[in-house]
């Protein structure tokens, strides 16, 4: 059996990288596509409902897919440093892949409201962390300005190689199912991921997305692996939902910090993906997102970060309303691991803690009371 070494080696022929570009990899990709069993039964859904758990990538989020390709290209071009603005996951991935490559990572983070689990990753990997008095959108503005005058490679999703890496998740889904799903649901923050998935699905069907030339010409298979493409459904947090408002949100606010973005950099591409696919955008409240996060963990054993739960939250609502038809095959991307932001779960202390004397009888009594 050949050892898996990451998505660049797996899909190099379908990525816009030079043949001699050294792959900067941590073995990312090949994340599980988990078929949910208990939740569909509870809501009476007769189709197939899957979650693509990107939280099992090396740094715990989907960002690793894009970062391996972006950093590989940056190093191939001679970059000695990379820079990004981040709400957390991008900074963690950038720091890890930078140290792997032997270059410096500079990360701009917003003041407050960044999960400590993500910040710790950037710190432990030796990134230069710069906290600004502003939000992610302010950080993104600064990064773009700095990129014009300073010899650093920007590795946010405005970098076309990021989306090229992220499109590989769609490849894996089609390969696993033998077809594309009917509906693909994603959380939407900066909107690079929904744009990347659509690129991937289009390539798997042998069809060019309208923006494929802008984000590097697609590499198509001689024989497409699917004859259809899914509807792309993007869900935002209600307090950070520019796609629902029709314009940028000045002061975005949500407990789902990974999608706390008011001015998405992939605005035009995401609209194109939604329209070309016949999909839609919608929003979820913070309470709905957190309820779904707990529902998934308690019923399926999958612990995702709050932003990730927006995809399943929206999917379940649309299944119940009939917008997603019975019998459909639905995939929800879970963008990050729940361990990225444990403070959300623990904010009210250790709920359900049972304290007893150190006696066998006392412990057995608790066991019997809670046995399913």
């Amino acid at each position: 059996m050949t050892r898996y070494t990451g998505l660049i080696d797996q899909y190099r022929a379908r990525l816009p990288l030079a043949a001699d570009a050294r792959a900067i990899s941590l073995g990312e990709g090949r994340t599980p596509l988990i078929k949910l069993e208990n939740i569909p039964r509870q809501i009476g859904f007769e189709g197939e409902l899957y979650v693509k758990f990107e939280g099992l990538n090396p740094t715990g989020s989907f960002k690793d897919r894009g970062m391996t390709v972006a950093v590989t290209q940056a190093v191939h071009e001679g970059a000695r440093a990379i820079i990004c603005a981040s709400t957390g996951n991008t900074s963690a991935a950038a720091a890890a892949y930078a140290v792997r490559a032997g270059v410096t990572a500079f990360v701009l983070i917003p003041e407050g409201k960044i999960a400590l689990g993500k910040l710790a990753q950037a710190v432990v990997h030796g990134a230069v962390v710069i906290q600004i008095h502003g939000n992610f959108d302010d950080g993104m503005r600064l990064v773009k300005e700095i990129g014009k005058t300073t010899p650093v490679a920007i590795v946010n999703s405005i970098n076309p190689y990021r989306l090229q890496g992220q499109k590989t998740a769609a490849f894996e889904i089609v390969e696993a199912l033998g077809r594309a799903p009917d509906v693909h649901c994603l959380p939407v923050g900066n909107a690079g991921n929904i744009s990347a998935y659509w690129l991937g699905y289009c390539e798997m069907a042998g069809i060019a997305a309208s923006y494929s030339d802008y984000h590097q010409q697609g590499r198509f298979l001689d024989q497409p692996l699917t004859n259809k493409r899914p509807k792309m459904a993007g869900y935002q947090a209600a307090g950070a939902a520019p796609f629902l408002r029709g314009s940028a949100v000045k002061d975005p606010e949500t407990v789902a910090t990974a999608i706390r973005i008011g001015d998405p950099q992939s605005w035009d591409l995401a609209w194109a993906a939604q329209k070309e696919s016949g999909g839609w955008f919608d929003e979820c409240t913070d309470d709905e997102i957190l309820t779904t996060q707990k529902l998934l963990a308690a019923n399926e054993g999958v612990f995702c970060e709050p932003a990730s739960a927006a995809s399943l939250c929206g999917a379940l609502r649309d299944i119940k309303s009939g917008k997603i038809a019975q019998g459909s095959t639905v995939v929800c991307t879970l963008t990050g691991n729940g361990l990225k932001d444990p403070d959300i779960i623990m904010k009210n202390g250790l709920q359900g803690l049972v304290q007893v004397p150190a006696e066998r009888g006392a412990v057995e009594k608790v066991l019997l009371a809670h046995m399913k």
Side-chain angles (χ1 to χ4, degrees):
M1 180 181 292
T2 303
R3 183 173 69 90
Y4 179 77
T5 54
L7 64 84
I8 289 180
D9 288 341
Q10 182 75 8
Y11 296 113
R12 186 181 284 265
R14 306 184 63 191
L15 296 169
L17 294 170
D20 62 343
R22 175 173 66 98
I24 309 301
S25 175
L26 290 168
E28 61 293 311
R30 281 198 177 177
T31 54
L33 183 66
I34 304 169
K35 186 176 183 180
L36 302 188
E37 298 176 353
N38 299 317
I39 293 175
R41 184 169 57 249
Q42 292 168 9
I43 65 172
F45 181 54
E46 297 173 359
E48 297 180 352
L49 181 57
Y50 296 87
V51 291
K52 179 66 167 168
F53 193 19
E54 292 289 88
L56 294 184
N57 273 301
T59 75
S61 86
F62 77 97
K63 303 287 187 177
D64 294 346
R65 288 185 185 272
M67 204 59 67
T68 183
V69 180
V71 174
T72 291
Q73 180 64 19
V75 171
H76 183 67
E77 293 176 354
R80 296 173 58 189
I82 62 174
I83 190 170
C84 67
S86 178
T87 56
N89 283 329
T90 300
S91 66
Y97 283 84
V99 74
R100 183 75 165 173
V103 300
T104 303
F106 296 95
V107 299
L108 272 65
I109 63 171
E111 183 177 22
K113 297 175 183 176
I114 179 169
L116 288 180
K118 302 173 187 179
L119 183 57
Q121 289 178 281
V123 171
V124 78
H125 292 309
V128 179
V129 181
I130 305 169
Q131 187 174 60
I132 61 169
H133 298 300
N135 59 27
F136 170 83
D137 301 312
D138 296 317
M140 196 65 244
R141 170 180 54 81
L142 289 167
V143 162
K144 289 193 288 187
E145 292 173 359
I146 291 167
K148 295 176 182 178
T149 58
T150 307
V152 293
I154 299 174
V155 292
N156 283 101
S157 58
I158 59 172
N159 182 324
Y161 291 90
R162 275 280 307 275
L163 270 64
Q164 285 292 308
Q166 288 166 214
K167 75 181 181 183
T168 60
F171 295 174
E172 293 178 1
I173 291 167
V174 173
E175 290 165 357
L177 294 177
R179 65 191 190 283
D182 297 303
V183 182
H184 191 115
C185 304
L186 299 101
V188 174
N190 216 24
N193 219 21
I194 190 172
S195 309
Y197 270 88
W198 184 239
L199 277 177
Y201 282 125
C202 287
E203 289 186 24
M204 293 300 271
I207 303 170
S210 63
Y211 48 86
S212 60
D213 285 340
Y214 176 71
H215 274 278
Q216 309 293 339
Q217 182 59 47
R219 271 65 172 170
F220 300 112
L221 297 171
D222 292 336
Q223 295 293 327
L225 292 187
T226 181
N227 60 6
K228 69 171 187 177
R229 296 174 291 175
K231 295 179 180 179
M232 304 298 292
Y235 301 96
Q236 301 203 280
F243 285 97
L244 279 302
R245 309 293 175 260
S247 61
V249 174
K250 184 177 180 181
D251 296 306
E253 188 57 68
T254 174
V255 71
T257 56
I259 54 174
R260 184 176 169 263
I261 296 170
D263 189 11
Q265 296 302 300
S266 295
W267 176 269
D268 291 339
L269 304 186
W271 276 119
Q274 177 260 316
K275 291 174 182 176
E276 289 174 22
S277 71
W280 57 86
F281 290 113
D282 208 338
E283 61 189 302
C284 304
T285 67
D286 280 0
D287 284 346
E288 289 173 330
I289 289 171
L290 294 179
T291 297
T292 304
Q293 181 194 30
K294 294 176 182 177
L295 177 75
L296 180 63
N299 289 274
E300 303 287 356
V302 179
F303 183 30
C304 67
E305 69 171 316
S308 297
S311 62
L312 182 60
C313 179
L316 293 177
R317 179 201 297 158
D318 289 339
I319 287 170
K320 292 173 183 176
S321 72
K323 189 172 188 177
I324 295 176
Q326 287 286 350
S328 298
T329 298
V330 182
V331 173
C332 299
T333 294
L334 303 181
T335 46
N337 198 297
L339 295 176
K340 291 274 194 173
D341 195 1
D343 292 346
I344 293 294
I345 298 297
M346 302 300 293
K347 66 178 181 178
N348 294 321
L350 187 55
Q351 300 294 304
L353 177 67
V354 180
Q355 294 181 311
V356 298
E359 300 171 357
R360 174 180 172 178
V363 174
E364 288 181 341
K365 184 177 180 180
V366 174
L367 266 57
L368 292 171
H370 290 80
M371 199 75 72
K372 291 183 178 180

